[in-house]
């Protein structure tokens, strides 16, 4: 540990270039070095300083990626460096000539993954005028970065940030239309990271029942974006096809269902959130959601399926097949659930995940 502490002096910008390179590489490749960084404010500060030093910037940023990959490291970085780090990452991502934009995206993604860190990071992001709007432009403009950075990890960043009410408010701003610009990436084939991030954002937005009417309106019409990846090559009769959104009618034998079970689970959970209100449930019934889930249920029961997704599907189907008289509540989110029932539900959910 004492030897590693001596490295601090060599991480200074005033140190010789060869010593800086060796020092950063040593810290980057050492578990002990990572632990030292978390415990040493001066070392963390020096590391952040070196991200603007072109000679060692790549190693310095990758070191931050490694540190923040673990929740304990992410928490320390947010506490000690967020005020400087968040604007630095933002500027690097916006710079279309930056070669390290992808790494900086990963840092922001890592420090917003733990739910308790979202608010402090978001505070610094929102202090920058139109930060999320500009990052959305970077994400939606394919090949924005001229150095072949893909910016895919902005997707999980948006998903993470939307865990917060303040974050959801930015994406659901009807004037800027951010959500509408991001919805097409729910079907993005090129990157599971980008696609999963867009789906995660959609799921989190659906958590807020106050925007359900808008989400299901003709203006937004999120239902086809959710159902299309869940649909397979199954054929429906004309009557059922008439119920389905236009994008899901007569799909044909080549239609492939979303392969990633985590993404399918998030999509089904989005439907579950939209079932919170009577209007939402009726809209889903009227537009063939049950029929799509019926076929998905068969798939999840097959060897290719997933038991966690299967449980999620059954939860939604259980709501949709009931009459409103049986449900007896207009908004399920306003139901007060006794603590003992909550405990049972949580234990059942944990059992399904195993």
């Amino acid at each position: 540990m004492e030897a590693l502490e001596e490295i601090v002096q060599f991480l200074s910008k005033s140190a010789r270039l060869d010593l800086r390179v060796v020092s950063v590489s040593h810290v980057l490749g050492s578990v002990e070095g990572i632990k030292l960084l978390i415990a040493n404010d001066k070392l963390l500060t020096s590391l952040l300083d070196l991200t603007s030093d072109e000679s060692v910037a790549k190693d310095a940023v990758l070191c931050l990626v490694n540190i923040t990959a673990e929740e304990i490291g992410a928490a320390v970085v947010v506490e000690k460096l967020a005020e400087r780090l968040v604007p630095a990452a933002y500027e690097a991502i916006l710079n279309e000539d930056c070669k390290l934009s992808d790494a900086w995206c990963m840092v922001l993604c890592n420090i917003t993954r733990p739910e308790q860190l979202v608010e402090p990071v978001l505070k610094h992001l929102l202090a920058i005028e139109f930060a999320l709007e500009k990052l959305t432009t970077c994400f939606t403009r394919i090949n924005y970065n001229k150095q072949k950075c893909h910016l895919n990890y902005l997707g999980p960043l948006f998903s993470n940030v939307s865990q917060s009410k303040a974050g959801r408010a930015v994406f659901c701003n009807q004037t800027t239309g951010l959500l509408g610009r991001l919805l097409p990436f729910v079907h993005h084939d090129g990157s599971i990271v980008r696609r999963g991030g867009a789906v995660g954002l959609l799921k989190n937005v659906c958590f807020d029942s106050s925007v359900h009417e808008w989400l299901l309106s003709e203006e937004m019409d999120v239902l086809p974006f959710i159902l299309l990846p869940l649909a397979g090559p199954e054929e429906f009769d004309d009557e059922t096809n008439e119920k389905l959104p236009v994008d899901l009618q007569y799909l044909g034998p080549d239609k492939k269902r979303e392969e990633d079970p985590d993404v399918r689970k998030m999509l089904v959970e989005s439907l579950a959130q939209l079932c919170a209100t009577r209007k939402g449930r009726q809209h889903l019934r009227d537009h063939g959601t049950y029929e799509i889930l019926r076929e998905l249920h068969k798939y999840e029961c097959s060897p290719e399926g997933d038991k966690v997704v299967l449980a999620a599907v059954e939860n939604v189907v259980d709501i949709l097949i009931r009459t409103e008289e049986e449900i007896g509540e207009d908004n399920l989110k306003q139901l007060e659930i006794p603590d003992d029932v909550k405990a049972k539900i949580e234990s059942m959910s944990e059992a399904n995940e195993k």
Side-chain angles (χ1 to χ4, degrees), residues 6 8 25-26 37 47 82 84 99 116 147 151 158 161 197 226 253 258:
E6 293 177 6
V8 175
S25 298
H26 184 78
L37 277 170
L47 181 65
R84 288 179 56 210
K99 297 178 180 179
Q116 72 273 18
Q147 301 299 322
L151 309 184
F158 296 155
V161 165
I226 299 173
E258 169 60 54

Side-chain angles (χ1 to χ4, degrees), residues 232-243:
E234 299 84 11
E235 292 185 10
F236 295 106
D237 58 32
D238 290 344
E239 183 180 352
T240 300
N241 272 301
E242 286 299 317
K243 287 178 65 177

Side-chain angles (χ1 to χ4, degrees), residues 193-324:
V193 173
R194 182 174 283 251
R195 184 167 77 252
V199 172
L201 168 63
L202 178 56
K203 185 195 78 169
N204 289 340
V205 166
C206 289
F207 180 80
D208 185 353
S209 58
S210 69
V211 297
H212 283 186
E213 191 168 346
W214 173 65
L215 291 175
L216 296 172
S217 67
E218 288 187 14
E219 176 190 354
M220 291 303 297
D221 198 20
V222 301
L223 189 58
F225 289 98
I226 299 173
L227 292 182
L228 188 58
L230 298 176
E234 299 84 11
E235 292 185 10
F236 295 106
D237 58 32
D238 290 344
E239 183 180 352
T240 300
N241 272 301
E242 286 299 317
K243 287 178 65 177
L244 293 170
V246 173
D247 290 346
L248 281 93
Q249 294 178 5
Y250 305 103
L251 291 175
D254 296 329
K255 172 65 174 69
K256 292 184 178 179
R257 189 172 272 111
E258 169 60 54
E259 294 181 354
D260 190 280
D262 291 331
V263 174
R264 294 202 305 276
K265 179 172 177 281
M266 287 192 290
L267 290 165
V268 175
E269 288 173 341
S270 301
L271 294 174
Q273 295 296 336
L274 292 173
C275 284
T277 63
R278 180 189 291 259
K279 282 187 177 179
R281 293 188 292 272
Q282 197 55 54
H283 186 89
L284 267 58
R285 293 186 189 106
D286 291 344
H287 291 82
T289 301
Y290 167 74
E291 286 78 4
I292 295 294
L293 291 183
R294 182 187 65 203
E295 300 305 317
L296 176 60
H297 186 274
K298 295 176 185 176
Y299 174 82
E300 301 300 352
C301 287
S302 73
E304 293 83 11
D306 181 273
K307 66 177 183 179
V308 176
V309 182
L310 177 63
V313 171
E314 290 175 347
N315 288 338
V316 178
V317 169
D318 186 50
I319 296 172
L320 293 179
I321 62 176
R322 296 187 188 190
T323 65
E324 288 304 318

Side-chain angles (χ1 to χ4, degrees), residues 319-337:
I319 296 172
L320 293 179
I321 62 176
R322 296 187 188 190
T323 65
E324 288 304 318
E325 289 71 23
E326 290 174 316
I327 294 173
E329 289 287 339
D330 183 49
N331 191 331
L332 297 178
K333 286 185 178 288
Q334 294 173 357
L335 266 175
E336 289 194 16
I337 304 175

